[in-house]
Amino acid sequence: MKRKIPVFIFATLLLFSCEKDNVEIESQWSYSEKLSVKDVFYGKAFNACSIDGNEMLLLSPDKFIRVDNSEKIIEERTVDTKNFMPNYKGGFLSKDFYVLANYLKLSTESKVDSLQFDFYSTKKDNLLPKSINTNIFPNSDIYGYQIKPFFEYGHEYKYFAVNSSGQIGIIVTSYRRNQPKDQGGIHHLAIIDLNINQEGIDPKFNRLIDINDLAWNKKIYNIKAIGKNFFISTSGNGTYFVKPTGEIANFENNKAVFGKEDIIYQFGEKQIEQSVDCREWKWSMNIDFDYVFEVDAIDNKIIDYSSATNMTSYSLSDFTEKKLVSKGLPNGRTYFIKEFNSKIYIGFWNGGIYSIPKEKFIQ
């Protein structure tokens, strides 16, 4: 249950917040010729990024590159997907691994006999994947499992998240194998234990957590891991707080979720709330936007990069809100925003990657 605050305090805080909403920071971004993908097919852009010390890792559904701090490509791999079905999904990227999910034996009803997850190590000269197949999921002789497209964007890298215990959470949906027209499936969270060592990756299936009130056709914005736990943000069903042990709770109306220094922040209904236990929530500030789906942290600020034309920063120290007026960026979907080598990098659906000196972005 959310904590209530007195009306006069709420009004005062609201006025204080609104007075700061007009602050704008204008910035000029530069196109990265070296890193951008030209003539990109839909879904083939570098849409996942991770930082490994002095190197940046970029991943598309069929390519992986390692970049040094001068933007020189020091390693490049093309992932062999010639035997993959056309609607295979690219996977989550951390500094240690990436995942590709391939549908096997796709039927005319767009349902599959199985779903294979291939885990690739990012370590140099370690190219052989370790695989897990959905036939090890519970009742796989009765139920088939697949990854459904998330909200509007079928090639997102938001089907996977890795928690602080080295477990990966993968969202899948189910259907009855012998009933092609069955519409009764639900979403599940598959938990995979990852043992990452010098030899590579050794994934082990842990459990499948049923989210019984989240039907197969309900839209999902993203999945995020904060600490040991997973957060699944949906359209119309709020956000599900899922522990890897199987416990589930639901928060109404919020969309993006972010964790920093043991505090969880949630965005929704034009406000930000915070909690330390995901049970009691405290109002932090009002914001202009109700549609905040993608956030990340740079220093002590949360950056809403859901849309490049409406990027906004929120200070975690005094909750000031600043509009980031960006020049030089295209319109359309952004995939990631990361700090690397004293610069901020942002990746777009059309293959373009842009950068700006950090001091010109965060002020």
Side-chain angles (χ1 to χ4, degrees):
M1 183 177 294
K2 299 176 181 177
R3 295 176 180 173
K4 304 297 184 181
I5 60 175
V7 173
F8 76 93
I9 295 179
F10 181 90
T12 302
L13 291 172
L14 177 59
L15 178 61
F16 180 75
S17 174
C18 290
E19 287 176 349
K20 298 184 178 185
D21 283 349
N22 294 324
V23 177
E24 293 186 352
I25 297 176
E26 187 173 296
S27 55
Q28 180 69 47
W29 292 74
S30 300
Y31 177 74
S32 176
E33 182 72 27
K34 297 179 183 178
L35 303 181
S36 298
V37 181
K38 286 76 174 176
D39 302 320
V40 66
F41 292 104
Y42 178 70
K44 299 299 184 181
F46 288 120
N47 47 9
C49 177
S50 187
I51 308 303
D52 186 6
N54 294 322
E55 297 171 349
M56 178 166 61
L57 313 180
L58 293 169
L59 181 69
S60 78
D62 61 359
K63 185 178 289 187
F64 167 82
I65 65 172
R66 183 182 296 271
V67 179
D68 67 14
N69 54 22
S70 65
E71 295 189 2
K72 178 183 177 181
I73 298 175
I74 57 178
E75 183 185 7
E76 181 174 352
R77 305 178 193 173
T78 298
V79 181
D80 184 4
T81 59
K82 64 179 181 294
N83 294 322
F84 279 23
M85 300 305 297
N87 59 346
Y88 76 93
K89 299 297 189 290
F92 182 89
L93 171 68
S94 78
K95 70 180 184 64
D96 296 307
F97 73 97
Y98 53 96
V99 183
L100 295 180
N102 182 22
Y103 294 102
L104 306 178
K105 300 180 183 178
L106 188 69
S107 67
T108 55
E109 294 84 12
S110 297
K111 294 181 178 180
V112 296
D113 286 345
S114 61
L115 178 59
Q116 180 173 302
F117 300 96
D118 294 327
F119 295 77
Y120 294 80
S121 172
T122 63
K123 294 185 182 298
K124 293 180 181 178
D125 302 321
N126 196 326
L127 306 178
L128 295 178
K130 295 291 185 67
S131 301
I132 282 184
N133 196 286
T134 52
N135 61 16
I136 65 174
F137 289 5
N139 301 317
S140 58
D141 56 333
I142 301 173
Y143 293 99
Y145 300 93
Q146 64 189 101
I147 295 179
K148 297 288 289 185
F150 281 14
F151 184 71
E152 294 184 359
Y153 308 106
H155 291 271
E156 288 290 342
Y157 279 68
K158 306 298 187 218
Y159 304 93
F160 310 79
V162 180
N163 68 11
S164 60
S165 300
Q167 295 175 307
I168 185 169
I170 305 174
I171 295 182
V172 294
T173 60
S174 60
Y175 59 91
R176 289 186 178 273
R177 288 188 179 279
N178 298 326
Q179 299 179 24
K181 296 183 179 180
D182 174 61
Q183 302 292 307
I186 61 172
H187 287 289
H188 312 259
L189 182 64
I191 303 295
I192 308 293
D193 295 331
L194 293 176
N195 177 23
I196 301 173
N197 51 49
Q198 303 235 338
E199 286 73 40
I201 297 166
D202 183 22
K204 301 290 185 183
F205 174 74
N206 182 305
R207 68 179 64 205
L208 190 71
I209 300 172
D210 301 336
I211 309 176
N212 291 308
D213 61 341
L214 188 58
W216 68 274
N217 60 347
K218 295 295 184 180
K219 302 299 183 183
I220 296 177
Y221 293 122
N222 58 43
I223 177 174
K224 182 167 289 188
I226 302 175
K228 296 181 179 180
N229 303 312
F230 297 93
F231 295 79
I232 302 171
S233 297
T234 73
S235 172
N237 279 61
T239 290
Y240 289 85
F241 169 48
V242 184
K243 292 186 177 183
T245 55
E247 300 171 62
I248 301 175
N250 180 266
F251 315 136
E252 297 179 357
N253 300 318
N254 67 299
K255 299 178 178 66
V257 180
F258 183 79
K260 187 175 177 64
E261 296 178 352
D262 298 324
I263 298 178
I264 311 297
Y265 298 88
Q266 61 167 319
F267 292 71
E269 292 190 329
K270 294 189 175 182
Q271 65 180 7
I272 301 175
E273 295 182 312
Q274 59 177 290
S275 176
V276 294
D277 57 9
C278 294
R279 295 182 179 87
E280 295 288 331
W281 292 91
K282 181 176 68 174
W283 178 88
S284 294
M285 66 179 295
N286 282 355
I287 60 177
D288 284 350
F289 301 105
D290 190 31
Y291 299 97
V292 180
F293 305 127
E294 303 290 353
V295 296
D296 209 336
I298 298 175
D299 291 345
N300 201 35
K301 294 180 174 62
I302 298 178
I303 308 298
D304 168 18
Y305 65 100
S306 305
S307 170
T309 56
N310 290 306
M311 281 198 291
T312 307
S313 73
Y314 304 100
S315 170
L316 297 181
S317 58
D318 58 8
F319 295 106
T320 54
E321 175 181 346
K322 294 181 180 180
K323 305 295 186 297
L324 305 178
V325 181
S326 301
K327 292 187 175 181
L329 295 180
N331 293 324
R333 180 70 174 150
T334 55
Y335 282 126
F336 64 82
I337 186 168
K338 290 291 183 182
E339 178 185 351
F340 176 64
N341 191 33
S342 300
K343 292 182 180 180
I344 307 301
Y345 286 83
I346 190 167
F348 280 83
W349 66 275
N350 64 356
I353 294 180
Y354 298 76
S355 68
I356 189 173
K358 179 181 175 181
E359 69 272 11
K360 293 184 178 180
F361 180 72
I362 298 293
Q363 301 179 29

